[in-house]
Amino acid sequence: MTLTLTPVPGIPMIQPGDDLAVITLQSLARAGICLQDGDVLVVTSKIVSKAEGRLVSLAQVTPSSRAVELAAQSEKDPRLVELILSESARVLRVRPGAIIVEHRLGFVCANAGIDHSNVQLPDCVLLLPEKPDASAQSLRRRLEETGGARLGVLVIDSHGRAWRMGVVGVAIGLSGLPGLVDLRGRPDLFDARLQVTLVGVADELAAAASLVMGQSDEGTPLIHVRGFPYPLREASLGELLRPQDQDLFR
Amino acid sequence: MTLTLTPVPGIPMIQPGDDLAVITLQSLARAGICLQDGDVLVVTSKIVSKAEGRLVSLAQVTPSSRAVELAAQSEKDPRLVELILSESARVLRVRPGAIIVEHRLGFVCANAGIDHSNVQLPDCVLLLPEKPDASAQSLRRRLEETGGARLGVLVIDSHGRAWRMGVVGVAIGLSGLPGLVDLRGRPDLFDARLQVTLVGVADELAAAASLVMGQSDEGTPLIHVRGFPYPLREASLGELLRPQDQDLFR
């Protein structure tokens, strides 16, 4: 089956308190896209954060002494570093330009995913959504109620990676679609056992959607996906997070 | 623009010496797919390796003492470990079930990408292609000559990751499409500068294609892509490999 990823045009500039479900439904309708069972909507974390009021003014942040120290090492604004620390469970690595952390949400990323591009107000930064799984679930429920179709919703961000250059889209919240698919025991063409068992399908879809979005959010913070090749089911981000004791690179 | 990824049906079981360009053109024609400028073809490394005769019989391998030692640590066949070592520049981590290496091709992966699923002969394993960039280039040139369209070709494999569960598709060879796209300096919606500069677009496309392929290669080792959103250009895998001195997790 063909997989199609279509940017949904006409998403306005999102403001705190905006109703993403209503905006999504209106934009889909204007684009002539009729939701069907099995469709997935992929939304960038930026507009979820904006709708949820996760903008923070640096002027209101007082850095701790630890933030001041890490700011010197990372060559960052100490107030930004204070926010990074407040959003993180632990700091893994520091270098000029980047503080690699385990985010309070459980994944590893640079600078706790705090963004200061595409933020309208000077000296403001955007934190990731408080609970991206819950954001995805809430959006999904509203879309399913109105649209009458069984859907998946994926909230994505862009993360750097060990070993490879360039950021790629990754899942940070999901509802209604699998994070991992376990192919263990499915016989291959010669009835041997597959060696590779777990596929990070939500991350693969996040990367695909990110490719279509580009990085600057200009009009494409929402992607409509048709032809996702695995059955939809209940899931949460946790299944994509490697437990620390299984992680050779933390 | 919509991105579409379509499995190309009818690829036969690949044998050493098979001409992938001819097989690809025949399969595209049967599927009614007419190549256009800007299209990308994504092929799994497995069929490239098979066509290039990269099957190795373990019976012909004599393990070194280092291979025997690592085999005990990793609970693997010493002959397989010998092949892993011969395909690797260095070993990064060892645990039961996995030897994480820097492959001779420059990327980090488990078990040097050596596969023993979907291999027809007992006690045989499949090495990655000798030079995947060259494989991609050769396939691309042949397809462009016959099809008359400007194309990209991407050879992909599935790699595990630090920090996250599940394998995802990644590029291991490319020709004619960018590995990285540099968005540095492109003004965002508020004319600030983008913080994130480099996007691993070839890896994002690899992940997207992997999602459509599944893991067992059953009839979908080749994906036709239309709507890749960046201009095609000459490139090689090197641009996706993080230099060791910039890597905080090696």
Side-chain angles (χ1 to χ4, degrees):
Chain A
M1 183 153 86
T2 295
L3 178 72
T4 65
L5 299 108
T6 306
V8 180
I11 305 287
M13 200 65 52
I14 300 298
Q15 306 295 338
D18 278 354
D19 187 329
L20 282 189
V22 167
I23 288 168
T24 297
L25 288 164
Q26 287 171 343
S27 300
L28 288 167
R30 275 195 302 266
I33 297 171
C34 209
L35 293 174
Q36 297 178 4
D37 282 343
D39 286 358
V40 178
L41 288 158
V42 184
V43 60
T44 175
S45 63
K46 287 186 190 179
I47 67 168
V48 175
S49 288
K50 285 180 179 173
E52 295 178 358
R54 299 281 288 161
L55 265 181
V56 176
S57 165
L58 290 179
Q60 295 177 326
V61 177
T62 305
S64 64
S65 60
R66 182 157 182 243
V68 171
E69 183 188 320
L70 283 178
Q73 285 178 50
S74 61
E75 300 171 8
K76 289 185 170 292
D77 185 319
R79 301 168 301 171
L80 173 60
V81 174
E82 178 63 33
L83 290 173
I84 292 171
L85 291 175
S86 72
E87 287 279 283
S88 301
R90 58 183 61 87
V91 173
L92 302 186
R93 302 280 194 285
V94 182
R95 66 161 189 200
I99 300 175
I100 314 294
V101 303
E102 182 187 317
H103 195 278
R104 63 177 170 77
L105 293 164
F107 47 77
V108 172
C109 67
N111 309 323
I114 298 176
D115 198 325
H116 41 139
S117 65
N118 282 326
V119 170
Q120 217 157 351
L121 304 167
D123 251 1
C124 278
V125 297
L126 190 63
L127 310 188
L128 290 180
E130 189 109 37
K131 296 177 181 173
D133 275 341
S135 307
Q137 176 136 23
S138 162
L139 179 56
R140 175 184 154 216
R141 292 285 176 226
R142 299 276 308 284
L143 297 176
E144 286 185 337
E145 278 164 26
T146 310
R150 172 72 174 83
L151 305 173
V153 170
L154 186 59
V155 178
I156 72 169
D157 196 12
S158 287
H159 288 182
R161 305 165 292 168
W163 319 319
R164 294 178 80 91
M165 298 293 287
V167 298
V168 298
V170 294
I172 68 161
L174 59 152
S175 177
L177 77 162
L180 289 176
V181 168
D182 186 350
L183 297 179
R184 181 166 36 205
R186 203 164 92 174
D188 78 2
L189 289 173
F190 304 104
D191 206 18
R193 298 285 135 184
L194 281 173
Q195 300 302 307
V196 169
T197 59
L198 293 170
V199 183
V201 296
D203 281 335
E204 291 188 324
L205 183 62
S210 168
L211 181 61
V212 180
M213 280 181 187
Q215 281 297 306
S216 67
D217 282 7
E218 297 177 54
T220 59
L222 178 71
I223 306 292
H224 172 260
V225 179
R226 184 155 292 164
F228 182 75
Y230 295 99
L232 298 189
R233 63 167 170 83
E234 300 303 321
S236 66
L237 181 69
E239 62 191 68
L240 281 163
L241 305 180
R242 191 178 287 276
Q244 194 167 345
D245 61 0
Q246 293 178 28
D247 196 334
L248 302 174
F249 295 94
R250 194 164 306 195
Chain B
M1 183 154 86
T2 294
L3 178 73
T4 65
L5 298 109
T6 306
V8 180
I11 304 286
M13 201 65 52
I14 300 298
Q15 306 294 338
D18 278 354
D19 187 328
L20 282 189
V22 167
I23 288 168
T24 297
L25 287 164
Q26 286 172 342
S27 299
L28 288 167
R30 275 195 301 266
I33 298 171
C34 209
L35 293 175
Q36 296 179 4
D37 282 343
D39 285 359
V40 179
L41 288 158
V42 185
V43 59
T44 175
S45 63
K46 287 186 190 178
I47 66 168
V48 176
S49 288
K50 285 180 179 172
E52 295 179 357
R54 299 282 287 159
L55 264 180
V56 176
S57 164
L58 290 178
Q60 296 178 325
V61 177
T62 306
S64 64
S65 60
R66 182 158 182 244
V68 171
E69 183 188 320
L70 283 178
Q73 285 178 50
S74 60
E75 299 171 9
K76 288 186 172 291
D77 186 319
R79 301 167 301 169
L80 174 61
V81 174
E82 179 62 33
L83 290 173
I84 292 170
L85 291 175
S86 72
E87 285 280 283
S88 301
R90 58 183 62 85
V91 173
L92 302 186
R93 302 280 195 284
V94 181
R95 67 161 187 199
I99 300 176
I100 314 294
V101 303
E102 181 186 317
H103 195 277
R104 63 177 170 78
L105 293 165
F107 47 77
V108 173
C109 67
N111 308 324
I114 298 175
D115 198 326
H116 41 139
S117 65
N118 282 325
V119 170
Q120 218 158 350
L121 303 167
D123 251 0
C124 278
V125 297
L126 190 63
L127 310 188
L128 290 181
E130 189 108 36
K131 296 178 180 173
D133 275 340
S135 308
Q137 176 135 23
S138 162
L139 180 56
R140 174 183 156 219
R141 292 286 177 224
R142 300 276 308 284
L143 297 177
E144 286 185 338
E145 278 163 26
T146 309
R150 172 71 175 81
L151 306 172
V153 169
L154 187 60
V155 178
I156 73 169
D157 195 12
S158 287
H159 288 181
R161 305 165 291 169
W163 318 320
R164 295 177 80 91
M165 298 294 287
V167 299
V168 297
V170 294
I172 69 161
L174 58 154
S175 177
L177 78 161
L180 289 175
V181 168
D182 186 349
L183 298 179
R184 181 166 37 205
R186 201 165 94 176
D188 78 2
L189 289 173
F190 305 104
D191 206 18
R193 297 286 137 183
L194 281 173
Q195 299 300 308
V196 169
T197 60
L198 293 169
V199 183
V201 295
D203 281 335
E204 292 188 325
L205 184 62
S210 167
L211 180 61
V212 180
M213 279 180 189
Q215 281 297 306
S216 67
D217 282 8
E218 296 177 55
T220 59
L222 179 70
I223 306 293
H224 172 261
V225 179
R226 185 154 292 163
F228 182 74
Y230 294 99
L232 298 190
R233 64 167 169 82
E234 299 304 322
S236 66
L237 181 69
E239 61 191 70
L240 281 163
L241 305 180
R242 189 178 289 277
Q244 195 167 345
D245 62 0
Q246 294 177 30
D247 195 334
L248 303 174
F249 295 94
R250 196 164 305 196

